[in-house]
Amino acid sequence: MKLPFLNAYLDSIGLPSFQKGCNFAAAGSTIHQATPTSVCPFSFDIQVNQFLHFKARVVELLAKGKRLDKYIPAVDYFSKGLYTFDIGQNDLAGAFYSKTIDQVLASIPKILEEFETGLRRLYDEGARNFWIHNTGPLGCLAQNVAKFGTDLSMLDELGCVSGHNQAAKLFNLQLHALCKKLQGDYTDSNITYVDIYTIKYSLIANYSRYGFEQPIMACCGVGGAPLNYNSGISCGQTKVINGTSVTAKACSDSTEYVNWDGIHYTEAANQYVSTQILTGKYSDPPFADKMPFLLDLKF
């Protein structure tokens, strides 16, 4: 879309400009409140608090004159802006390490209750345009196949862990219902639900049609086929395994892979996902007839 990347809220290097937006996302974050053992301390409630602090600080700085105008948004941007959300996958994926499938499924309403609380706080602060991604097929990530797919009966016809995808689908069903409820409650707002799961699962099911060669195997990792993934050594790391120094290196051509490091998608796969989002077909409400610009879609 030819838009710049957003500066991170906590970026302290150089002179970040927040005129075009601000990124509150953090790697490993969850909707559930973080605990001392959480991978990331910046859970959704903290991110919302950071936004509220950011907005208050912007208003305070704008009142001091125009000196900082090129770095911060105008006040009306907060009501006109697009608030985007893609969170929840880490809540589900992390829960499988200590809970049964039934316990994971039973935890979903509570997770979404916390998400709803955050969304309503943002609405109360003037947010009116919400763009909400559902969660992808986490059972198709090499990390989860390696850990939970050793029993082949746990895998579906694509080689994905069935229980993980079942949890993702139930989460998405309830998230969609929440979005419909918010659409009814906030008739002065635009609340768009985007079906990321269908886009990603379709890519994995039909990968060769879109020019990919590996739907699940990681590009950057160790171990080779079928997964090229080892939980003990992340992409780019060098470690001694069984007496031998091993480096998790990238494959020669990442455009052949859907998965980058066992958890995240490659740039090529993300480009496919984004072009599908921008068709408007996977959104509720759909927006295919309202596209204000033409895109040169690769796929």
Side-chain angles (χ1 to χ4, degrees), residues 200-242:
K200 288 184 172 179
Y201 196 76
S202 174
L203 171 58
I204 292 163
N206 304 289
Y207 63 94
S208 59
R209 183 189 304 172
Y210 303 113
F212 294 91
E213 296 183 14
Q214 297 292 342
I216 294 178
M217 186 165 82
C219 161
C220 187
V222 294
L227 298 175
N228 196 38
Y229 178 81
N230 183 320
S231 62
I233 177 167
S234 302
C235 174
Q237 284 187 331
T238 298
K239 285 190 176 181
V240 176
I241 297 178
N242 297 327

Side-chain angles (χ1 to χ4, degrees), residues 132 134 172-173 175-176 179 191-195 282-285:
I132 301 170
N134 72 10
N172 292 340
L173 196 68
L175 175 62
H176 196 185
C179 290
I191 298 167
T192 305
Y193 169 88
V194 188
D195 187 5
Y282 296 93
S283 298
D284 180 17

Side-chain angles (χ1 to χ4, degrees), residues 31-32 42 57 77 92 105-106 109 118 141 155 168 193 204 209-210 213-214 238 248 258-259 273 294-295 297:
I31 293 173
H32 261 327
F42 300 106
R57 189 82 173 110
Y77 283 20
L92 300 177
L105 299 180
L141 301 176
L155 303 178
Y193 169 88
I204 292 163
R209 183 189 304 172
Y210 303 113
E213 296 183 14
Q214 297 292 342
T238 298
V258 169
N259 198 283
V273 172
L294 293 174
L295 293 164
L297 299 182

Side-chain angles (χ1 to χ4, degrees), residues 57-194:
R57 189 82 173 110
V58 166
V59 171
E60 181 185 322
L61 291 171
L62 287 173
K64 294 184 176 181
K66 296 185 177 297
R67 190 169 57 88
L68 298 172
D69 280 6
K70 62 182 177 180
Y71 302 112
I72 55 178
V75 171
D76 65 345
Y77 283 20
F78 290 102
S79 58
K80 294 176 179 177
L82 181 64
Y83 293 73
T84 63
F85 307 86
D86 190 320
I87 192 168
Q89 181 168 300
N90 292 332
D91 292 86
L92 300 177
F96 273 100
Y97 283 85
S98 60
K99 292 182 170 74
T100 66
I101 176 70
D102 289 340
Q103 289 173 323
V104 174
L105 299 180
S107 71
I108 291 172
K110 178 64 176 142
I111 295 170
L112 288 175
E113 194 178 294
E114 293 185 51
F115 187 53
E116 178 180 357
T117 297
L119 294 178
R120 291 189 185 276
R121 288 178 70 199
L122 293 171
Y123 176 87
D124 290 342
E125 281 292 323
R128 291 297 180 268
N129 301 299
F130 297 82
W131 182 268
I132 301 170
H133 287 184
N134 72 10
T135 202
L138 59 148
C140 300
L141 301 176
Q143 180 189 55
N144 292 326
V145 177
K147 173 71 175 176
F148 300 97
T150 50
D151 179 352
L152 297 182
S153 69
M154 306 295 282
L155 303 178
D156 67 10
E157 65 277 6
L158 300 185
C160 305
V161 185
S162 301
H164 282 60
N165 283 352
Q166 181 188 350
K169 285 190 278 193
L170 184 63
F171 177 90
N172 292 340
L173 196 68
Q174 294 183 28
L175 175 62
H176 196 185
L178 171 60
C179 290
K180 301 298 275 187
K181 181 171 81 168
L182 293 173
Q183 286 167 3
D185 289 350
Y186 299 141
T187 54
D188 61 340
S189 298
N190 299 302
I191 298 167
T192 305
Y193 169 88
V194 188

Side-chain angles (χ1 to χ4, degrees), residues 25-32 34 37-44 47 86-91 94 263-264:
S29 60
T30 54
I31 293 173
H32 261 327
T37 58
S38 295
V39 172
C40 172
F42 300 106
S43 48
F44 186 55
Q47 293 175 23
D86 190 320
I87 192 168
Q89 181 168 300
N90 292 332
D91 292 86
I263 305 167
H264 307 96

